[in-house]
Amino acid sequence: MKLLTLNFLTCAIKTCKSSPSSFPLHPRDAELEIVEADLNLKFLENILPRLMWDELRVVVDELGLPTLPPTIPTRADLVAPSSPTSSSSSSDPAPSQTARDLHRILIETCVREGKLVCGNCGHEYAVKEGVANFLLPAHLV
Amino acid sequence: MPEYLVRLAQVHESFRKAELFALGELAGVTLEIVEYHENSPFCIVRLPSDAAAAKVISRSILSLGIHELWGRGPSYEALHESVKINTSHLWAKYKDVSFKFTVDCFQGTRTTAEQRDIIESFSYLAFEGPIRMKDPEVSFQVFEHYDEKAPHPKYFYLGRFIAESGRHAKSTYDLKKRHYISTTSMDAELALLTANIALAAPGKIFFDPFMGTGGFPLAAAHFGAYVCGSDIDGRSIRGTGGSSRKGQVGKRDVAGNFKQYGLEGHYLGAFVSDLTNTPLRLPAPSNNGIRHGYLDGIICDPPYGVREGLKVLGAREELGDIERSNHQARHKDPTYIPPKRPYSFMALLDDILAFAAITLVEGGRLSMWMPTANDEDVELIIPTNPFLELVSVCVQPFNRWSRRLLTYRRLPDSEAPADAVTRVRKEYEKGVRADELNAFRRKFFEGFKEADKLRAGDYAPEETPKKIG
Ligand SMILES: C[S@@+](CC[C@H](N)C(=O)[O-])C[C@H]1O[C@@H](n2cnc3c(N)ncnc32)[C@H](O)[C@@H]1O
Ligand SMILES: [Zn+2]
């Protein structure tokens, strides 16, 4: 599961959802894996406004990955300033270092094994072979 | 705007216009349908330019290609006359380039000699360039439309070829060649079609809450979307349950399917969950009017029968104190299986709509499949939600039942009723319990038993009418 997906996941327990501490889920004993992928600037631009940035930073820190800047980059930050040497041949703008870093974190970094823990109720969701299990026991439905 | 001839496939007729309009919207061009008939593979549209025409058709599943319309008529005389009136100013442009001329007979055949005569009859175009059957600079096609089994064609067109469709993806993704499938895997052609109608495209995020073996996410990823999915059955995602496919050995899973097509970079991942207890963020409407939907599209084939086991999490009966503490004590045990209970299909459909209303971005689409009995006194039920506007209803008929693809568009908040935000959220959270026990619903569901039995044959040839021209 790519780290981007984690940015959309909260605790599955309904009574937890309204509590701010149910998001983000906190990775524990996480085993990470890098899956190389092509960088898609358009996609990064599209998802930028949908990201919960502060929570992403928390997860990135907890995973021991390089800290993200305190404020969310802008769309303009994703595009490398056009250098005069890289001539007119391609019309597509080149990704900046910021875009490459984000791509590395959101798209190429995957959680393979471990647990995701709710900060509100402490419930643990297991991740196995990259697939997280959010099925709830009967007393929590 | 110039007129173009779309050569449609004569299959899944009721989906064809919905696909064309969706592709027009995706390409960001105005597409006007000038002439369309359910029983004809020839459709005339207006589009701003050749480039727009190519953009629209290049990812179409239900067409073969698009041509600049040079003329048409109920006889060759009429066709020639129309070609002369419409295009004589264009002839000079193609005078010296290499070209090709072919004849496409729909529901009919022509001998080589007849084809030659037909092509000769256009000699007044006075093309002097070399004839090249492979990669000519310009390619013309005569189309003849025959009624079924009729000896002579009833209508004729001449077109200049602009672009081929994306229909070849149908065979690339054919289930027969896919490593990992199950009995409920969605047919590749229909999955791709669904992704088109839901506007899957590069840069977007698509989600399938009932992903099974991942047919829809794969189709959306084919069109460039980033995709994720979930299913209440973890075995279907991880593939450890094996597959019903004969002779299939070794581990096959959804991730493997993405690898098979080189799409793993677009696979955001999957998780095991019940749609009615989803771990996905359900963003609250914010005060300053900015919504926080994050999905561009949701495409799915919800479970509805015994085969797929429509179940949701929870015990059948309300838990007593003792049972409650039993579950609490045992739930971390690796052998603990979260209990599931039956649920109403109509309630699930309402839940899907409510979920879509919360998670979709403005303009985002929900495309979901839904079965219905072909029973005259069963009125069609189309689930509604104040935030979702119905875009299209497409029907795939079988003998005793049909299934329909319902497509909705997420309205901007400003276009939805004032109390809709809180209402939808509440409904989703408590889980709408539709009353299944009234006579109408019971009747409605009787057809499903039939549907469920037939379902196994979804991609058996006799079930899908095959008359692709
Ligand atoms: C018709 S199948 C979908 C098949 C899929 N489109 C494919 O191509 O493989 C329906 C799926 O819904 C799942 N399902 C049933 N109840 C569910 C629930 N409450 N939440 C999520 N998934 C559920 C089933 O396990 C099944 O895989
Ligand atoms: Zn929780």
Side-chain angles (χ1 to χ4, degrees), chain B residues 178 182 184-186 208-216 230-233 236 273-276 300-304 308-313 348 455:
Chain B
R178 190 172 304 169
S182 78
T184 62
S185 294
M186 180 56 79
D208 178 354
F210 310 102
M211 76 186 305
T213 56
F216 288 119
S230 65
D231 198 288
I232 200 168
D233 183 359
S236 76
S273 81
D274 164 20
L275 175 85
T276 70
C300 60
D301 184 17
Y304 56 82
E308 296 91 348
L310 166 45
K311 294 272 173 66
V312 295
L313 287 175
L348 185 71
R455 184 117 186 204

Side-chain angles (χ1 to χ4, degrees), chain B residues 137-159:
Chain B
E137 283 159 89
V138 60
S139 163
F140 291 88
Q141 211 157 3
V142 182
F143 298 93
E144 295 188 335
H145 188 179
Y146 294 69
D147 273 331
E148 237 180 311
K149 299 198 177 97
H152 306 291
K154 63 169 185 185
Y155 210 83
F156 307 82
Y157 306 85
L158 177 68

Side-chain angles (χ1 to χ4, degrees), chain B residues 362-383:
Chain B
E362 279 181 12
R365 285 192 176 188
L366 163 68
S367 284
M368 69 171 182
W369 286 83
M370 174 184 167
T372 41
N374 287 352
D375 186 335
E376 277 175 31
D377 35 282
V378 174
E379 179 195 329
L380 297 182
I381 301 178
I382 295 186

Side-chain angles (χ1 to χ4, degrees), chain B residues 150-218:
Chain B
H152 306 291
K154 63 169 185 185
Y155 210 83
F156 307 82
Y157 306 85
L158 177 68
R160 178 177 64 88
F161 177 74
I162 303 287
E164 206 182 304
S165 75
R167 189 164 169 78
H168 46 83
K170 170 184 185 291
S171 84
T172 311
Y173 290 88
D174 193 337
L175 293 183
K176 292 195 205 82
K177 298 181 246 169
R178 190 172 304 169
H179 291 332
Y180 173 59
I181 60 167
S182 78
T183 45
T184 62
S185 294
M186 180 56 79
D187 164 68
E189 179 178 21
L190 293 173
L192 290 159
L193 187 52
T194 308
N196 260 346
I197 292 176
L199 311 181
K204 294 187 176 181
I205 304 184
F206 268 61
F207 177 67
D208 178 354
F210 310 102
M211 76 186 305
T213 56
F216 288 119
L218 274 174

Side-chain angles (χ1 to χ4, degrees), chain A residues 2 5 7-10 12 14 17 40 43 46-47 50 52 128-129 131-132 134 136-139 141, chain B residues 203 205 226 238 251 267-268 271-272 276-281 294 296 313 324 327-328 331 336 338-339 429:
Chain A
K2 298 189 186 300
T5 314
N7 202 247
F8 300 128
L9 293 170
T10 76
K14 280 174 183 156
K17 272 205 146 49
N40 184 325
F43 180 62
N46 272 357
I47 57 163
R50 305 179 194 180
M52 303 292 271
K128 286 192 193 120
E129 297 170 51
V131 181
F134 288 95
L136 299 172
H139 65 288
V141 176
Chain B
I205 304 184
Y226 284 74
R238 292 201 198 87
K251 183 165 164 70
Y267 182 42
L268 296 176
F271 48 91
V272 187
T276 70
N277 290 277
T278 186
L280 280 170
R281 233 160 64 191
Y294 49 89
D296 294 283
L313 287 175
R324 192 163 270 283
H327 281 284
Q328 188 148 19
H331 83 271
Y336 177 85
E429 282 180 353

